Amino acid sequence: MAFGGNPVFRGKNFRGAVSTAPQSAYGQSPYGQSPYGQQPMTAQQLDELYRAPSAGPAQTGRVTYDDVIVKTLVCLGAVVVGAAVTLAVPASAALGLMVLGALGGFALGLVNTFKRQPVPALILGYAALEGLFLGGLTRMLDAVSPGIGLQAVLGTFAVAGVTLFLYKSGRVRATPGLMRFFLIAVLGYLAFSVVNLFVMIFNPGLGAWGLRSSVHVFGIPLGVLVGLVAVVLAAISLIFDFDSVEKAIRAGAPRSVSWTAAFGLTVTLVWLYTEILRILAIFNSND
């Protein structure tokens, strides 16, 4: 079973749980025979079992859409709380919290990605740290271009909502061809980001965004064009995230997988918000 480009959904944490066959709901083997040498069920017990309503995913301990939605909202709530902290403290403290959030979020992101079993506390810790980073970054950029923080939030919800609609309506599907395009494009984007980082370090005179703001294509800052490509890539990543969640639910994966799914969706949404915020900052700085 293939999964999307998001490393969270390709890790053993998620992939291993989905590929494992679900267990019987009540510990009974077929035809009313109890496992492990226990006594067979009586006629009355069989009749009661037959008349009982079927157990749904929630009763059998399997993941559901509600589980994923609720836990994703909890993670996003932790992001909002973290962002609120950096928006409320003095500017000098906000910068330190932003750096802490960036480094700590990166570290916990790796831990959660490669951990065999999801740990809700670590996933929420990642979300809160990313909130510190995003709150600090938004505060810094919003001071130069007032209002772009709210615009970035609205843009993120708009892109995510449209992507979900296109996926659920069947207009866009997670296909092998789309996956190949995604992987090639992401590698190209990462290569450009690394080159631009070195340019910013060794030639700071080009500006705060390096090649993104100093190079123009038909009068449009390169960063805006690259950012739009990154937004498309983040939307494609969301498509594969949705597809992975759907496969997990169909396979009857354990409910704990919902935390991994929520973590993966949060990672993609954080990436999407960051790219939209950067596009707005570069565009406004070149007005």
Side-chain angles (χ1 to χ4, degrees):
M1 185 180 292
F3 295 96
N6 191 328
V8 176
F9 291 100
R10 298 176 68 88
K12 294 181 180 179
N13 185 329
F14 187 88
R15 187 161 42 90
V18 174
S19 61
T20 302
Q23 300 295 320
S24 175
Y26 298 107
Q28 300 293 337
S29 59
Y31 310 112
Q33 298 297 320
S34 299
Y36 312 116
Q38 298 176 10
Q39 293 296 324
M41 299 179 69
T42 65
Q44 182 179 358
Q45 290 173 326
L46 284 172
D47 183 66
E48 291 176 354
L49 182 62
Y50 175 77
R51 294 176 182 276
S54 300
Q59 287 73 37
T60 57
R62 301 176 191 175
V63 65
T64 65
Y65 286 111
D66 288 343
D67 291 330
V68 176
I69 292 171
V70 169
K71 290 178 175 60
T72 302
L73 290 176
V74 171
C75 288
L76 294 179
V79 173
V80 172
V81 171
V85 171
T86 50
L87 292 174
V89 300
S92 57
L95 180 59
L97 290 176
M98 184 180 72
V99 174
L100 172 64
L103 298 178
F106 177 75
L108 275 187
L110 292 177
V111 170
N112 287 316
T113 299
F114 296 105
K115 199 167 183 60
R116 290 185 177 274
Q117 294 295 330
V119 179
L122 294 179
I123 293 174
L124 292 176
Y126 160 82
L129 287 169
E130 285 295 339
L132 293 178
F133 167 69
L134 294 180
L137 181 63
T138 302
R139 179 174 181 170
M140 182 174 63
L141 296 178
D142 197 73
V144 179
S145 303
I148 66 170
L150 178 59
Q151 295 172 25
V153 171
L154 295 177
T156 300
F157 280 110
V159 172
V162 170
T163 303
L164 178 60
F165 170 77
L166 292 176
Y167 175 79
K168 294 300 293 183
S169 63
R171 290 178 172 82
V172 177
R173 305 303 298 172
T175 63
L178 186 62
M179 170 58 72
R180 286 192 292 270
F181 167 79
F182 175 78
L183 293 177
I184 294 173
V186 164
L187 290 176
Y189 173 75
L190 291 176
F192 169 80
S193 299
V194 171
V195 171
N196 189 56
L197 177 62
F198 279 100
V199 170
M200 292 170 61
I201 293 174
F202 294 104
N203 191 1
L206 288 179
W209 303 102
L211 297 175
R212 293 177 185 266
S213 56
S214 62
V215 177
H216 291 70
V217 179
F218 300 111
I220 303 174
L222 180 62
V224 172
L225 299 177
V226 173
L228 291 175
V229 172
V231 168
V232 172
L233 292 178
I236 294 175
S237 181
L238 274 178
I239 291 172
F240 285 107
D241 292 353
F242 297 149
D243 184 67
S244 297
V245 171
E246 186 175 2
K247 287 177 180 176
I249 293 172
R250 288 182 178 178
R255 183 175 291 180
S256 60
V257 164
S258 60
W259 277 110
T260 306
F263 168 58
L265 290 169
T266 302
V267 169
T268 304
L269 290 173
V270 166
W271 176 28
L272 178 60
Y273 174 82
T274 304
E275 293 297 343
I276 293 177
L277 184 66
R278 179 158 48 195
I279 290 174
L280 292 172
I282 294 174
F283 184 80
N284 288 337
S285 66
N286 282 267
D287 286 344

